[in-house]
Amino acid sequence: MKTLYRRARIRVAGLRMVLIPGVSAPDGLVAAPTDLHAVDPFVAEELLNGRIVLAGRVYELDGVSVFADELPNLAFAESLYSFEWLRHVRAHRTNECCAKARQLVAEWMALHGRRARGLAWEPDIAARRLIALLSHSPVVLNDAESGFYRRFMKTLGFHVRYLGMIARFAPDGETRLRIHIALAVASICMSGKQSWVSRQARRLSREMERQVLPDGGHVSRNPRVLLDLLLDLLPLRHSYINLGHTVPSGLVSAIDRIFPALRFFRHQDGDLGLFNGATSTLANELAAVLRYDDTAGLTTRELPDMAYQRLVAGDTTVLIDTGRALSVELSSTAHAGCLSFEMSAGRYRFIVNSGSPENGSVELKELARSTAAQSTVTLADTSSCRFSRSAFLGPIMVQGAREVMVNRTTGPNKNDIVSAKHDGYVADFGYLHEREVDMNEAGTRIRGRDIVSVAGKNNKHIPESLLAVARFHVHPLIELSQLNDETVVLTAPDGTRWHFSVPGRALAITDDIFMANVSGPRRSQQIEVAFDVPEVREIRWFLDRKA
């Protein structure tokens, strides 16, 4: 009901923006924040040639405005309406390219700029667009006429008023936080009263303190969100300082907490762990952010609030998801991946989760959220969480793990042992899943154990038999070969080899899809270990590095 209420309030706000005029244009712009995102000169060149390239699709600009035409798909439309593609014009920034960009902005303002409804005015897209228009205003306003400048400023004012009206009712998590970031950016980039700047700073500070957990993680539990936040927050902090404003205290402390958490999820190859909606990471964007890290590269071994564990020895890293969605509302992007893990060594990731496709279809994103797309155990080909298919409620989690028990101990060889248990399968099958993982001091051997046990002594609805499958998704760069029925060899491009074995059990190499590839979903492979429960309730597996 809360979700329906908030959506209704957002629609009412959009209607009020149309029925109650009076949006005044700001007097002018005093600054344009820098943009730390990577730029692609190809996008700017294609724009000069009359084509828009977004979300892996190409649109020909030939007559009908792209904003009045049928668009290739939802991902293309979201990218188009966000105007974040303006950053690529910086790579060219000729008068001709700026004029092309300005023409598209003018078309959008004429068709959609005064009617806050539809996809273009979804809260997250509107917030991203306001940040983009402010950050890239030098590109849009380059050699612009006074009439366009006035319309542009009025559009910015319209965005500020609309986002200010819906901020309280926007979906919790990243969307609501981005709205507050956008309003804070607007307050210092537009010439306005100091009271407005202070008010938006206080609101942003409160939201940062609420959403950035004490361990530096984000309430979404998505590692990629940490990078996305820093890409917006670092330029904002810089703008506060350059313009002589006091930097919000909540902003400063949140940034300081986020950096160690971001490093926590960094694999040996420089990419981030693929948990709970995370997708591919551009190396230059991560490097651009880490240049501002003043925490001396400190990395913790666990994030207790975000609920992840990290094992490191030698040049081997293991990341383990030991948590669940922090609320129903925050579960709209969560994956059913409790107790999934990823492993990297040297310059390569070996065991991964499938990740989330950045520009994939709704169906593909749903598949990416399933337990089968994570490196963990699946019972009866059923996810450990259920997701709503209601258009009104959105893709929230309606059933899943209620409790995750985690224990971290030190073994006899001073190695860390992580064991965790979740009850996500109790409601359907009456079973708990427990996973134990540890690594030797040299980082050359990883030992795992998966246990499926009965929940409670008097559980009467346990099926007589069900199939359990432990899946280990392998990164596309790793080559697999079967040594024998119980052992698979994983070979990296540099020749590094690991043996994956399950004593007493037969292994299978099957086809897979790696969702988080930069250029789109890519074929890959996975290792599967199937066993019948309750006949078999425990399997042991090993990853051994070979010379």
Side-chain angles (χ1 to χ4, degrees):
M1 290 301 295
K2 184 185 293 186
T3 301
L4 295 178
Y5 172 75
R6 286 176 172 170
R7 288 193 175 193
R9 291 300 300 260
I10 290 172
R11 290 180 181 177
V12 169
L15 185 63
R16 287 183 61 192
M17 294 294 294
V18 176
L19 298 179
I20 306 175
V23 177
S24 58
D27 294 335
L29 295 175
V30 297
T34 56
D35 190 336
L36 298 179
H37 291 83
V39 298
D40 186 353
F42 175 74
V43 176
E45 291 167 6
E46 287 296 283
L47 184 61
L48 281 172
N49 293 325
R51 291 183 289 270
I52 298 179
V53 181
L54 295 173
R57 297 298 184 94
V58 180
Y59 181 93
E60 297 281 347
L61 296 168
D62 54 357
V64 179
S65 171
V66 63
F67 300 107
D69 200 4
E70 183 177 348
L71 300 178
N73 57 28
L74 178 62
F76 182 96
E78 291 175 343
S79 298
L80 177 70
Y81 290 138
S82 75
F83 279 91
E84 290 175 335
W85 51 266
L86 285 171
R87 66 172 58 102
H88 303 301
V89 178
R90 299 196 336 254
H92 215 282
R93 201 165 177 181
T94 60
N95 288 339
E96 183 182 2
C97 199
C98 290
K100 285 274 189 180
R102 184 164 57 253
Q103 179 185 344
L104 289 170
V105 172
E107 290 177 5
W108 183 85
M109 290 193 302
L111 291 170
H112 301 289
R114 292 285 296 164
R115 307 179 82 178
R117 65 185 185 188
L119 178 65
W121 287 95
E122 285 293 312
D124 183 64
I125 295 176
R128 288 159 55 192
R129 184 171 55 247
L130 178 56
I131 295 172
L133 292 176
L134 289 166
S135 299
H136 307 296
S137 55
V139 168
V140 178
L141 298 175
N142 179 54
D143 207 24
E145 297 178 353
S146 59
F148 175 86
Y149 182 83
R150 287 193 298 273
R151 294 194 301 275
F152 182 76
M153 295 305 298
K154 197 157 189 175
T155 295
L156 295 180
F158 190 87
H159 278 76
V160 168
R161 183 182 173 196
Y162 173 70
L163 292 174
M165 291 173 65
I166 69 169
R168 288 187 301 152
F169 311 109
D172 197 8
E174 188 181 5
T175 295
R176 192 181 302 175
L177 183 52
R178 184 167 283 117
I179 288 175
H180 284 286
I181 292 172
L183 291 172
V185 171
S187 72
I188 60 176
C189 289
M190 298 178 182
S191 53
K193 295 180 179 179
Q194 179 59 40
S195 59
W196 181 36
V197 175
S198 301
R199 184 168 63 254
Q200 296 303 337
R202 288 194 301 271
R203 291 173 178 174
L204 173 62
S205 191
R206 286 197 299 267
E207 197 63 27
M208 291 296 298
E209 290 292 344
R210 190 179 72 85
Q211 290 203 32
V212 178
L213 301 167
D215 62 11
H218 184 254
V219 291
S220 66
R221 304 191 66 245
N222 180 342
R224 174 56 194 263
V225 170
L226 300 175
L227 174 60
D228 292 338
L229 287 178
L230 287 175
L231 287 168
D232 284 335
L233 295 175
L234 292 171
L236 177 57
R237 182 181 67 177
H238 190 64
S239 296
Y240 271 113
I241 296 171
N242 282 351
L243 295 172
H245 298 296
T246 301
V247 182
S249 58
L251 175 62
V252 174
S253 61
I255 289 175
D256 289 342
R257 295 200 306 277
I258 290 174
F259 270 118
L262 182 66
R263 288 189 179 276
F264 176 98
F265 288 107
R266 196 181 187 197
H267 274 296
Q268 297 291 343
D269 67 345
D271 216 323
L272 299 178
L274 299 174
F275 299 94
N276 285 296
T279 187
S280 57
T281 303
L282 295 176
N284 48 356
E285 288 189 343
L286 187 56
V289 161
L290 292 177
R291 286 203 309 267
Y292 295 88
D293 185 5
D294 297 325
T295 62
L298 298 177
T299 303
T300 181
R301 65 178 192 166
E302 63 180 326
L303 297 179
D305 303 299
M306 201 178 180
Y308 286 93
Q309 298 287 328
R310 187 172 189 259
L311 298 173
V312 180
D315 66 351
T316 304
T317 297
V318 172
L319 301 174
I320 310 170
D321 181 351
T322 56
R324 60 183 182 85
L326 299 184
S327 73
V328 172
E329 189 173 6
L330 290 167
S331 70
S332 60
T333 59
H335 286 195
C338 190
L339 306 196
S340 65
F341 83 103
E342 295 195 333
M343 169 266 190
S344 62
R347 294 182 296 159
Y348 297 96
R349 285 175 286 168
F350 285 80
I351 305 298
V352 294
N353 293 317
S354 295
S356 183
E358 189 168 11
N359 301 313
S361 63
V362 173
E363 293 76 19
L364 201 59
K365 288 185 176 181
E366 287 181 356
L367 179 62
R369 299 180 73 189
S370 68
T371 300
Q374 327 300 323
S375 289
T376 187
V377 172
T378 305
L379 298 187
D381 199 25
T382 303
S383 286
S384 60
C385 300
R386 300 289 180 86
F387 303 104
S388 167
R389 293 180 178 272
S390 167
F392 293 100
L393 296 177
I396 60 172
M397 190 180 295
V398 293
Q399 179 181 310
R402 294 184 177 181
E403 185 177 8
V404 184
M405 294 152 281
V406 185
N407 186 35
R408 185 164 185 146
T409 58
T410 302
N413 297 319
K414 297 182 179 180
N415 56 315
D416 284 339
I417 303 173
V418 174
S419 60
K421 182 188 301 184
H422 79 81
D423 59 0
Y425 284 115
V426 170
D428 286 331
F429 307 115
Y431 283 113
L432 297 166
H433 172 216
E434 181 178 356
R435 168 165 278 179
E436 182 179 282
V437 181
D438 72 85
M439 183 162 51
N440 66 2
E441 194 173 4
T444 56
R445 173 167 245 222
I446 299 168
R447 181 188 65 87
R449 184 166 65 133
D450 284 301
I451 304 168
V452 178
S453 59
V454 176
K457 296 181 179 179
N458 301 314
N459 204 321
K460 297 180 180 180
H461 66 288
I462 297 176
E464 291 184 6
S465 177
L466 58 80
L467 179 66
V469 180
R471 290 182 172 87
F472 302 84
H473 299 273
V474 178
H475 193 276
L477 292 178
I478 305 302
E479 181 181 336
L480 293 183
S481 59
Q482 194 131 7
L483 188 63
N484 53 52
D485 289 345
E486 300 178 0
T487 306
V488 170
V489 180
L490 296 83
T491 306
D494 64 355
T496 302
R497 291 183 301 120
W498 286 75
H499 284 192
F500 179 90
S501 59
V502 181
R505 307 301 307 174
L507 303 177
I509 298 174
T510 62
D511 292 334
D512 196 12
I513 302 176
F514 183 64
M515 309 277 193
N517 196 54
V518 175
S519 57
R522 178 178 176 181
R523 288 184 179 181
S524 58
Q525 292 181 305
Q526 62 183 332
I527 303 169
E528 292 187 347
V529 184
F531 55 103
D532 292 312
V533 178
E535 181 182 347
V536 177
R537 295 192 179 183
E538 177 181 332
I539 63 169
R540 294 174 181 268
W541 47 268
F542 300 88
L543 273 160
D544 292 288
R545 187 167 188 165
K546 300 299 179 179

